[in-house]
Amino acid sequence: MSDEDDLRAEVRELHTEVDALHTRIAALESELDTDPPPSAEDQTASTAVESDTATPEPESEDSSEPGTETGETADSEAPPEERNWERDIGMKWLGGVGGLALVVGVVFFIRLAIEAGYLGPLGRVLTGTVGGLILLAGGRYAAEQQGYSRWGRLVAGTGLAIAYFSVYAAYGFESYRAAIGTPLWTVLLALTVLVAATAAVSVRDCAPAVAGEAFLLGYVTAYVGLDAGSFVVSPAYVVLLTAGLVTIAAVRPWSRLVLGSVLPAYVLHVAWTNRLEPPDTVAAVVLAATFAVYAAGVYVLRASGRTDRWHRRLVEATTASNAVFAAILLESVGRRLLPTAPDGVAVGAVGLALGGVYAVTESRLGQQNSAAGVLAVVLLAVGVVLAANPFAETVGLLILLCGALALGTSRDAGAVRIGGHLVAVGTVAKLLAVDATRLPAFSLADPLATVMGRPAAYLLGIVVFYGLGRWFGGASTTVPSIDRELSVAAPYAWTATGLAVVLLGLELSGATLSVAWAVLGLAFVGVGLALDARSRRLQGVVVLALVTTKVFLYDTQGLDTLARTLSFLVLGGILLVASYAYARWQGEKPLQRLSG
């Protein structure tokens, strides 16, 4: 056999072996395809482990907010037994302690250089600034280009703090200021550029933590500006920072940043007014501008695509905190600005503004800003209480109560109705705590005092609450926490009855009070039987039980023989009349009648 024939035979053998290998591979692949797919837990774990590898992946806009699912939060949201503790310690704790140690090391390095005479004040400022900027840039590069997002943002935040406070030292420390001769406007400009650039980069990189740190340092810069001795720098800075946050919210709906800025913004207003004592007109304008900017920010956040529950709660909290701070500070400034005007004008103005915010949000976005609607009614009620005397306060609160409930029902504005219910609770509390002690009692000798006194205030409340109970009729509301429907009319009707009982207790005493309560209870039973209204009958029974308790426990001991005898005779007769009326009403089938 020739060499050529041998070569052909070897090639044929190789072909045979290759075909056999293909057959075996196909069989193995078929067996692998029948294996069960990996579980959801395995996929979650693999996602968590691979999230901080060197392959960068885009992040969602809402990665900063709770409720989102990103690779970096997979471990923290997993059950405790599934968390990668080694990864958490290696990245989070070691990184955090390392950043702190680095800052402390920089401080000691600068101190060492100072003691050795190598660095003067200007050199220290430049060294710290340049070093911080290098860390900031390096952290951003690690986060965006290499995919180490958590570690990179930690380093970037550390660098930002070092750079910021290095620049701040050029003016904030008196020895540095004297040695360098740095004017305040230069430091403010440098700090502003640093904060603005960092905020812009953090928005581009979707790094809310760095943006929050930048704006926090911005508020510190505004506080530094108080040393300028001018009432222009700090308030303008605050308004600009707030407007910047609103602008960012239009791109990244970071509701936590907007809410977190409310307190430092208004605290700076307080510090500014106390230290520099600006004109009241200027202070009022700045406060109104800040309130308006935050209201615009709430609108922008609501117009965003985020609809999760946490985001909505943060937006509602922003509305509430902005309104409360603005109302308190504007009221204080308004009293100095308009000493002849009644108190509560500024609080009422904020309430009206919130009503406008509620109406615009509902009409433009189709959403109900619950906090704005509720606070609009509540702040208007507070304005009424601050502006009027006790009797006029009660009248104003009752008018506001009726208006809020009517408007909320006609426009299906649930938040306004809730505000009206809160005003109702406040009105009852005022009647019991204020009107009962501060308004004059009934007196035939002073008709004017009687007309605007305690009986008139209570009678107005009783009439309004009975009217509202009648108006609501069979309306009910669902309580989400207990998933039950509760009557809206019943609380108002029972409250009116309670106010009637309290009014009689305030104006009468002894046997006269027992007789009056018994007659009132009989009247309720009679009306309830005539109208077939079970609620009225129960109210009458409760009042009769109250007067029975009083007669047997108090009248037998605290009254003389004649008054005691009158109490028992009247009570016994009224109870018998009520029982007879029940018997007549029940007819031939009492159980069936009572069950209906």
Side-chain angles (χ1 to χ4, degrees), residues 209-581:
V210 179
E213 182 185 3
F215 275 95
L216 176 62
L217 296 177
Y219 286 108
V220 174
T221 303
Y223 185 81
V224 174
L226 294 175
D227 292 336
S230 170
F231 60 82
V232 175
V233 176
S234 290
Y237 221 98
V238 171
V239 175
L240 288 175
L241 284 172
T242 308
L245 278 170
V246 173
T247 304
I248 290 176
V251 182
R252 307 283 189 190
W254 292 335
S255 46
R256 282 190 299 177
L257 293 186
V258 180
L259 173 60
S261 68
V262 175
L263 178 60
Y266 283 106
V267 167
L268 272 170
H269 278 298
V270 174
W272 169 59
T273 53
N274 290 339
R275 181 177 298 187
L276 300 180
E277 298 182 355
D280 293 329
T281 304
V282 176
V285 170
V286 172
L287 285 170
T290 305
F291 171 78
V293 172
Y294 273 116
V298 168
Y299 181 85
V300 169
L301 289 172
R302 281 192 165 273
S304 67
R306 290 197 60 189
T307 57
D308 57 279
R309 181 181 299 178
W310 180 257
H311 175 72
R312 292 196 303 269
R313 288 178 177 176
L314 291 176
V315 173
E316 299 288 353
T318 303
T319 301
S321 56
N322 179 41
V324 170
F325 283 122
I328 294 174
L329 296 179
L330 280 172
E331 180 66 23
S332 176
V333 174
R335 290 181 179 181
R336 299 193 303 268
L337 185 63
L338 301 172
T340 58
D343 295 338
V345 172
V347 175
V350 174
L352 291 175
L354 285 178
V357 170
Y358 178 80
V360 170
T361 305
E362 184 179 16
S363 62
R364 295 290 182 87
L365 302 178
Q367 303 177 11
Q368 289 189 349
N369 190 339
S370 301
V374 173
L375 283 172
V377 180
V378 171
L379 289 179
L380 286 173
V382 174
V384 169
V385 171
L386 293 175
N389 58 62
F391 182 79
E393 291 171 10
T394 302
V395 175
L397 290 176
L398 292 173
I399 294 174
L400 179 62
L401 166 62
C402 295
L405 294 179
L407 179 63
T409 303
S410 62
R411 296 295 182 89
D412 194 20
V416 177
R417 284 200 303 271
I418 294 174
H421 296 325
L422 292 177
V423 172
V425 174
T427 304
V428 173
K430 178 185 177 299
L431 285 168
L432 297 177
V434 178
D435 294 1
T437 56
R438 294 181 56 185
L439 290 179
F442 176 80
S443 175
L444 293 176
D446 191 354
L448 182 61
T450 301
V451 171
M452 298 184 64
R454 182 171 62 195
Y458 269 80
L459 287 174
L460 285 174
I462 292 168
V463 170
V464 169
F465 276 81
Y466 272 132
L468 290 174
R470 183 73 174 174
W471 181 56
F472 279 117
S476 61
T477 182
T478 303
V479 182
S481 59
I482 60 176
D483 195 20
R484 288 182 55 189
E485 287 193 357
L486 300 179
S487 171
V488 180
Y492 284 97
W494 280 90
T495 301
T497 301
L499 290 176
V501 171
V502 172
L503 175 61
L504 292 176
L506 292 172
E507 299 296 329
L508 303 175
S509 62
T512 308
L513 176 59
S514 300
V515 172
W517 276 354
V519 172
L520 179 64
L522 179 62
F524 276 116
V525 171
V527 171
L529 295 175
L531 300 178
D532 197 9
R534 185 169 183 269
S535 176
R536 298 288 187 274
R537 298 196 302 270
L538 291 179
Q539 293 172 31
V541 170
V542 170
V543 174
L544 291 176
L546 175 65
V547 66
T548 302
T549 303
K550 175 183 179 297
V551 169
F552 278 91
L553 295 183
Y554 173 77
D555 291 0
T556 55
Q557 303 292 332
L559 299 181
D560 56 30
T561 305
L562 179 60
R564 187 188 315 152
T565 303
L566 178 63
S567 296
F568 274 92
L569 289 176
V570 173
L571 176 63
I574 287 178
L575 290 178
L576 287 176
V577 171
S579 177
Y580 177 75

Side-chain angles (χ1 to χ4, degrees), residues 44-45 48-49 71-79 82-84 87-88:
T44 304
V49 171
E72 293 189 8
T73 59
D75 282 343
S76 61
E77 293 177 356
E82 297 182 7
R83 290 181 182 173
N84 191 334
R87 177 176 174 269
D88 287 344

Side-chain angles (χ1 to χ4, degrees), residues 104-174:
V104 175
V106 170
V107 173
F108 281 117
F109 169 76
I110 294 177
R111 178 180 178 181
L112 181 62
I114 293 172
E115 293 175 352
Y118 296 139
L119 288 177
L122 181 59
R124 303 164 201 166
V125 171
L126 293 178
T127 301
T129 303
V130 173
L133 292 177
I134 291 174
L135 284 177
L136 178 61
R140 180 176 178 272
Y141 177 81
E144 300 304 319
Q145 301 300 321
Q146 296 183 329
Y148 302 113
S149 54
R150 180 178 294 162
W151 182 87
R153 290 170 185 172
L154 182 63
V155 173
T158 303
L160 173 61
I162 292 174
Y164 181 89
F165 287 108
S166 297
V167 177
Y168 168 78
Y171 184 87
F173 299 154
E174 185 176 356

